[in-house]
Amino acid sequence: MTEIEIRAHFETQAASCHRLGSPFTAILCCQLPKLLDTHTATGRKVLKWHGDPGSDALALRLCGALHALVLSEMEPALADSYPPYKQREGALQEVVAQAIARHDPFIVDFIDSPPQTNEIARSAMLLPGLLLVARETGLPLALGEIGASAGLNLNLDRFHYIYENRQWGGAASPVKLSPRVEGDPPPLEVTLEIVSRAGCDRMPVEISNPSQRLRLKSYLWPDQPHRMERLEAAMAVANAHPFRLTQEDAADFVDREMASRPDNAAYVLMHSIMWQYLPEATKARIEATLERHGAGATATAPIAHLRMEPVPSESGHAVLSLTMWPDGTARRLARVDFHGRWIAWEG
């Protein structure tokens, strides 16, 4: 990649952050290319990035490294320029440059690994799909999630939801989600019983590890404190209700889970905003495994594939889709916001 392409990536990421409600991160992404040069190891690494900066989320890696310095109190001057503080853009640019110079080795090491986000609000997008599976099958669910990060959304039945004038879940839950509804709210009138829950990730986040917990928090945008509050609440729920989370290839996970799925339950493979990051060979393996086991699915042991992912022909939102076996019918259920801020139910 050329330096021009790298800098263009930061501008593209800035526009995306602005659309997703983080003007501070947008400003930071615009400023960072002006600060990077070959005088720091960070500058050399970023400007000579060997992969695709877009698919590698390079700008977000660097923003995450800086936020980690703030959250860990390693750089007080930088913290003073982060939300909720308000500083002139020129002042922010100066303290960011100083932080990069002072913490060069830390930043270089941090951006070696891909971003890890566990956006809790996506549970409000996935829940209506799970309720649909439960309603149509009349069975309890066995959940499997690929690209699960810390696996926090595996506890989505323990959160409280409000979709306009409709509610679902325990009101006492510390995790409360209330997305904006476009059109009619999704149907919620069904009880959800989950008999097992397991997830995998290439680099799963162990929330009992302080450094990994810091990394997870660092990828939340500093001017969106509500996301941090949700994350903290979801981690508290996970501490009280643990689940199985493994480090492995997504296709290997699906192979094993399909072969050992329980009887008298609907097995649901779910994922959100991660499919585009998988190698094509991995996607093909997962799809083949689903088709193979779907051919043997029954009314008492059905299989469902619930995904919240971008669609190439549509921009500005993701699509919630569901395929269920034994019939293998694929359905489009909703348009949804990438961060779970709104849902437009179509199913």
Side-chain angles (χ1 to χ4, degrees):
M1 285 289 172
T2 66
E3 286 192 17
I4 293 176
E5 291 171 315
I6 297 292
R7 295 179 191 278
H9 157 66
F10 277 81
E11 293 175 2
T12 299
Q13 185 61 63
S16 177
C17 291
H18 195 273
R19 285 195 305 272
L20 290 169
S22 181
F24 175 84
T25 310
I27 290 171
L28 189 59
C29 286
C30 286
Q31 290 190 357
L32 280 169
K34 305 171 187 176
L35 307 176
L36 298 173
D37 56 39
T38 57
H39 290 96
T40 64
T42 298
R44 292 190 294 274
K45 188 176 187 70
V46 171
L47 295 176
K48 299 183 182 298
W49 193 256
H50 294 299
D52 179 343
S55 60
D56 292 342
L58 178 58
L60 294 182
R61 293 189 192 207
L62 186 50
C63 290
L66 294 169
H67 197 198
L69 293 175
V70 170
L71 294 173
S72 61
E73 301 181 347
M74 294 170 61
E75 186 59 38
L78 185 62
D80 287 344
S81 294
Y82 265 53
Y85 302 100
K86 297 184 183 297
Q87 295 280 358
R88 293 180 296 105
E89 289 189 23
L92 175 63
Q93 188 169 322
E94 182 179 345
V95 294
V96 168
Q98 293 171 352
I100 291 174
R102 277 195 288 265
H103 301 278
D104 214 10
F106 172 85
I107 296 173
V108 167
D109 180 66
F110 191 99
I111 65 177
D112 264 339
S113 299
Q116 270 288 18
T117 56
N118 202 146
E119 180 47 66
I120 309 307
R122 288 176 185 156
S123 285
M125 311 291 102
L126 295 166
L127 176 74
L130 294 180
L131 295 178
L132 179 61
V133 175
R135 182 167 55 253
E136 293 191 354
T137 64
L139 294 169
L141 307 186
L143 286 189
E145 183 181 16
I146 54 176
S149 187
L152 302 179
N153 289 341
L154 286 166
N155 274 325
L156 82 178
D157 57 319
R158 297 185 169 107
F159 304 161
H160 182 240
Y161 302 84
I162 300 176
Y163 299 86
E164 288 192 344
N165 60 344
R166 300 182 184 179
Q167 298 188 37
W168 192 93
S173 173
V175 181
K176 302 184 185 301
L177 302 172
S178 54
R180 187 176 81 251
V181 175
E182 296 188 359
D184 294 329
L188 307 174
E189 297 76 15
V190 65
T191 301
L192 193 60
E193 179 187 358
I194 298 179
V195 295
S196 66
R197 53 195 95 211
C200 79
D201 199 279
R202 287 183 302 167
M203 298 181 65
V205 177
E206 176 51 64
I207 60 173
S208 64
N209 183 314
S211 64
Q212 291 191 37
R213 195 163 59 246
L214 170 65
R215 187 174 188 86
L216 192 61
K217 292 179 179 180
S218 71
Y219 282 110
L220 298 181
W221 294 336
D223 51 351
Q224 296 182 335
H226 55 286
R227 295 177 68 197
M228 186 70 75
E229 293 167 4
R230 284 199 301 254
L231 178 62
E232 294 280 10
M235 288 194 290
V237 172
N239 285 331
H241 302 281
F243 39 76
R244 178 162 54 90
L245 182 64
T246 56
Q247 179 176 11
E248 61 184 316
D249 176 79
D252 292 340
F253 173 86
V254 174
D255 282 344
R256 187 186 65 254
E257 293 294 303
M258 286 288 103
S260 61
R261 71 186 192 276
D263 294 325
N264 300 312
Y267 183 85
V268 182
L269 176 69
M270 67 179 190
H271 51 85
S272 57
I273 316 301
M274 58 77 66
W275 191 253
Q276 69 266 37
Y277 301 120
L278 291 178
E280 291 302 320
T282 302
K283 295 179 186 178
R285 276 186 61 196
I286 293 171
E287 290 170 340
T289 299
L290 286 168
E291 290 290 346
R292 184 172 67 254
H293 286 275
T298 66
T300 57
I303 295 171
H305 183 199
L306 180 67
R307 59 260 187 213
M308 171 192 165
E309 299 291 350
V311 172
S313 60
E314 302 179 40
S315 62
H317 60 264
V319 173
L320 183 69
S321 304
L322 174 68
T323 304
M324 289 181 64
W325 291 267
D327 65 356
T329 300
R331 284 179 281 179
R332 175 187 171 112
L333 301 182
R335 289 181 295 108
V336 297
D337 177 65
F338 292 113
H339 285 180
R341 296 176 300 172
W342 56 265
I343 181 169
W345 184 253
E346 302 174 357

